[in-house]
Amino acid sequence: MKKVFVVFLLLASLVMGSVLFAQVTQIPREEAVYVAGFQWGPPTTDNPLAGSPMTFVSDPRQHIWIYETLFTWDALNGKYVPILGESYKWLDELRLEVKVNPKAYFHDGEPVTADDVVYSYKLGQKYPLGLQIWEWLEDVYKVDDHTVIFEMKPDNPNRLMVEDAIGATFILPEHIWSKVEAENNYDLTKIRQFRNENPVGSGPYKVFYESPETIILERVDNYWGNEALHGGKKPAAKYIVHPIFKSNDEGSLAFENGEVDVSQQFTPRIWEMWEEKGLPVGTWYDEIPYYMPGQMPSLWFNVNKYPLSLPEVRKAIAYSVNYARISELAMSNYSPKVQASLIMPYGGEAKYFNENLVKQYGWEYNPKEAIRILEEDLGATKGKDGIYVLPDGTRLGPFTVECPYGWTDWNASLQIVAQSARAVGIDIQTSFPDAPIAYDNRQTGNFDMTMWSPSQPGPAQPWLRFQIALYSKGVPEVGQIAYSNFGRYKNEWADQLIDMIPKVTDEKELKNLYTELDQLYREDIPMFPLMYRPQTFYQYNETYWTGWANAENPYAPPMPLVGAGMEMLWHLEPVK
Amino acid sequence: MKGFTKYFFQKLFWYLLAFFLALFLNFFLPRLIPGDPISVIVSKMMSGTVASETQERVYQSFMEEFGLDKPLPIQFFNYIGNVFRGDLGTSFSLYPLSVNEVLGNAIVWTIFLQFPAIIVGWILGNLLGAAAAYRKGVFDKTIFPVALFVNSIPYYALAIILLYFFGVYLGWFPIGGGYSRTLLPSWSWTFAIDVLHHYFLPFISIVLVTIGGQAIGMREMSIYELNTDYVTYSKMLGIKDKKIQSYVFKNAVLPQITGLAISLGTMVGGALITEIVFGYPGVGTWLFNGIRQLDYPMIQGSTLIIALMVLVANFILDMVYGLIDPRIKAVQTEEG
């Protein structure tokens, strides 16, 4: 038996040895800001061209720590904040001029020039990278070292998406990436596989350490923006640490214990942390709805499936839903009252919101009205089982409504939808398959009703939301993959209006067009919002760091050290 | 030895056949799960964009990269070819990490957790079982029902009860992971203790179940041995109890070794529930994630490892028995 134990000890120490592979010193807590909620699996690559959804540095709209974009969007005022781009203006109908900040340089000291900007955008022309801008662009070219012109195709211009794109693309150093391209024979599949383990960007942080459990970024002390954008001040935090939690609960617990300073995870009943537990925790607002709304998770109908093809049936369902209950039970009251509109009554797009029309023609929770529509407008009669039957004998249900398993707030919302509908006499069942199956069903149109959020705040809103919800051109038939208009709604007038808007600059005309489009949407209701959700959740714990932005001190939008919320890095102060 | 050579090759043939069957199932079974893995990747990349050709081009480029645009039989032969080159492919859900890399890291955790636990459980179980059989009385009356009880609780229930009671309710142990996420791996006592702290609950859960099963088996075998003639004869000769106990133990433990070999062979597959419940970063966790994310290469890779371990363990066992078991030897000579 002794031998067995010796062997066991030997094996155990061998295994331990290979696990403890890296020698990293402890990060001093008072020098590090801990963030959570952006990454749920191991870091896989630092290559921004890999397009992997798991990549920590992959989303230029948010993670501008290492690589930077020209601008970043501030949803509070609907304006761009300059980063590498100093300013932008439309020269004429087709040409957008962007000035690059002449003070900007990469970590290796090379200046950021117009060439780098042109190079970065042209990568999307060369390779299928998911950079959509080339649908509308004819060319990107430099005028001088710090001026770039984006020229649109005369036959397919789109101001809104081009403006969107100048805030959504990382500017990469050409002197490094052209080598990477050449080494990989200009083959995208090979370029995507390149790990880029030591990314050289122009941002305020660089990669310090990565493991399947943690990602640590280290401050770049000679970051160009400290002088050029922040009055010579450095961020106080030497490190940004992102522990990778396995579950929401684990992350929330760490946040509550002060192990995480700022988080974008959904945390139920956040107010209890300060009201009952007296913790130094804060959110954007210190009362309902606590967070600033940013997106609209919605219920989408398959509008070609009878009887869901009848707008009256869709409207009856919209009237039946108890929105307040969804907000209260599924969303911890984080959603203000949902309105019958595709325009968000908050942030930059609120100026297009037509309150009178929404009140007059919109729906809200009203079971009696739902029943009236069913009985009077559709002539349906209630069957013995309490479910309505249309005059032609079609029973209203069972319909299924679907979203990925484990998205707890969404799952709860759909359960409330199903209960609400059954209460007025429409049979809706919930179905929560694993994400790939739910995605596949949604994209191929294999559903009765599904749940999805149309898009994020940005300069192209609310146009982009209308586009994603209503636009039929280029959307393939049921059975083939679509990435928008999942229910395959078709309306020529809507298509025309959507085509028209990106060319219009007159605000008054824009407002009219949006009003018309929104009204058309309300008549046909191919999908409807169930809640308003923040763009990213934002809650901070002031145990170690203070100076966070909030509604009383709104110097930056509520984003946890990402996007335009990066500004907070220069305002944070250690508590000690 | 001619007989054994023939026996060896016969067995080898059947094991190779089983291996190819496993390869075949590994490839086709994941593809029966409904859903399109590429559309998931593209949809995450392209969410919030407008309908366009770009999406189609991105989709196609991934289809080509993963070879999913080719007909199934060709994909299958590519897969076989890659397996024999030791390449398990690129993970879909952890793109662009290779499955080799992910599973290579994970298997260290799995073995680190399972191997000591199975060995410790096996040793303790057999000692307890033997003791119960030999001492009888109160000892037997408590150990036997407890072992039976522990052994009959479904493993996942036991794991969750342990996790809830010691992790959540008493808060003595962390509720998941291999080590604290706020800690950096290093050669330090802090880190080692943290790893052991996370190690304890999953370890103990496997030990408990193994003890239960082994103790029952060992008790029965020992009781059988205690009633044999050689024991009675030894007692009559006045041989010391200690000595007789060791004879009995040696004889009773032989079949238990088969059990040990099989548990070591199925170790990687058996880790699935432990790793999921305790959030332990091993092969089981990746297999589970792979299934949920439709990550074909990851599913194929982990099931291949599991199949290989089981086959190799059984093959070695067959060989060992072929050498030492007189009954099998007899068959070999008859045929030879």
Side-chain angles (χ1 to χ4, degrees), chain B residues 7-329:
Chain B
Y7 172 78
F8 174 83
F9 281 109
Q10 260 178 359
K11 285 282 171 192
L12 190 68
F13 170 76
W14 286 111
Y15 275 101
L16 282 178
L17 195 72
F19 176 67
F20 274 103
L21 199 70
L23 274 182
F24 182 80
L25 290 177
N26 282 346
F27 178 81
F28 282 101
L29 286 182
R31 283 167 172 77
L32 295 180
I33 310 172
D36 176 353
I38 303 303
S39 89
V40 176
I41 296 176
V42 178
S43 132
K44 281 180 185 163
M45 262 175 86
M46 304 293 297
S47 91
T49 58
V50 307
S52 70
E53 283 168 33
T54 313
Q55 292 160 344
E56 185 54 31
R57 284 174 64 209
V58 172
Y59 183 86
Q60 280 309 330
S61 80
F62 275 103
M63 287 293 277
E64 277 164 36
E65 178 165 358
F66 293 129
L68 295 178
D69 53 340
K70 299 193 179 72
L72 265 190
I74 294 183
Q75 285 184 44
F76 180 65
F77 286 114
N78 283 343
Y79 157 70
I80 299 279
N82 287 335
V83 164
F84 282 100
R85 274 196 300 272
D87 175 10
L88 297 176
T90 306
S91 161
F92 295 174
S93 63
L94 299 174
Y95 183 84
L97 288 189
S98 70
V99 174
N100 291 32
E101 207 173 332
V102 176
L103 292 184
N105 262 325
I107 202 159
V108 174
W109 285 96
T110 298
I111 293 174
F112 168 62
L113 172 63
Q114 295 271 322
F115 190 77
I118 290 174
I119 299 281
V120 169
W122 187 81
I123 293 171
L124 290 178
N126 282 309
L127 289 178
L128 280 175
Y134 203 79
R135 296 208 180 159
K136 301 197 189 83
V138 188
F139 199 66
D140 188 27
K141 286 199 175 91
T142 47
I143 295 231
F144 182 61
V146 168
L148 208 59
F149 175 72
V150 170
N151 199 41
S152 56
I153 306 176
Y155 175 68
Y156 57 85
L158 178 77
I160 289 170
I161 290 168
L162 282 177
L163 185 69
Y164 178 76
F165 191 72
F166 293 104
V168 180
Y169 183 73
L170 292 175
W172 290 355
F173 295 98
I175 52 168
Y179 56 88
S180 298
R181 269 162 248 298
T182 48
L183 219 61
L184 304 181
S186 59
W187 284 105
S188 66
W189 280 112
T190 330
F191 185 72
I193 288 167
D194 187 67
V195 168
L196 290 178
H197 196 202
H198 283 75
Y199 186 75
F200 188 77
L201 278 186
F203 174 80
I204 238 21
S205 75
I206 300 170
V207 168
L208 275 179
V209 171
T210 320
I211 287 183
Q214 295 296 329
I216 294 169
M218 188 63 185
R219 177 182 169 274
E220 243 129 73
M221 278 315 294
S222 303
I223 288 175
Y224 170 81
E225 292 289 333
L226 281 171
N227 292 326
T228 48
D229 294 344
Y230 76 86
V231 173
T232 325
Y233 185 62
S234 308
K235 277 184 180 163
M236 276 161 57
L237 287 180
I239 292 175
K240 276 184 195 156
D241 263 11
K242 272 259 160 82
K243 198 78 188 165
I244 298 177
Q245 267 180 50
S246 83
Y247 290 150
V248 168
F249 188 82
K250 273 182 191 164
N251 281 315
V253 88
L254 258 179
Q256 299 294 99
I257 291 176
T258 314
L260 177 66
I262 289 173
S263 354
L264 290 179
T266 53
M267 161 166 82
V268 174
L272 185 81
I273 295 173
T274 322
E275 289 175 4
I276 291 166
V277 172
F278 294 102
Y280 218 69
V283 175
T285 306
W286 290 121
L287 173 59
F288 185 63
N289 280 348
I291 293 170
R292 296 203 52 194
Q293 303 286 325
L294 276 189
D295 191 340
Y296 300 156
M298 190 65 82
I299 306 175
Q300 283 162 200
S302 9
T303 45
L304 183 71
I305 289 179
I306 293 170
L308 261 180
M309 298 273 291
V310 173
L311 289 174
V312 168
N314 278 298
F315 184 70
I316 292 175
L317 205 65
D318 268 351
M319 290 305 108
V320 170
Y321 275 99
L323 284 175
I324 61 168
D325 193 323
R327 283 162 295 181
I328 299 179
K329 271 208 155 144

Side-chain angles (χ1 to χ4, degrees), chain A residues 312 315-321 366-375 388 424 426:
Chain A
E312 291 87 352
K315 203 165 257 178
I317 293 174
Y319 268 108
S320 77
V321 174
N366 187 346
K368 277 187 194 142
E369 178 62 13
I371 291 168
R372 191 202 64 75
I373 293 173
L374 292 176
E375 289 180 353
Y388 277 95
V424 302
I426 301 171

Side-chain angles (χ1 to χ4, degrees), chain A residues 47 49-50 123 127 177 180-182 184-195, chain B residues 95:
Chain A
N47 178 353
L49 305 183
L123 282 173
Y127 308 110
W177 286 87
V180 173
E181 273 188 285
N184 292 290
N185 285 328
Y186 303 92
D187 176 352
L188 176 66
T189 57
K190 289 200 186 114
I191 296 171
R192 275 201 299 231
Q193 301 262 0
F194 169 62
R195 289 288 172 78
Chain B
Y95 183 84

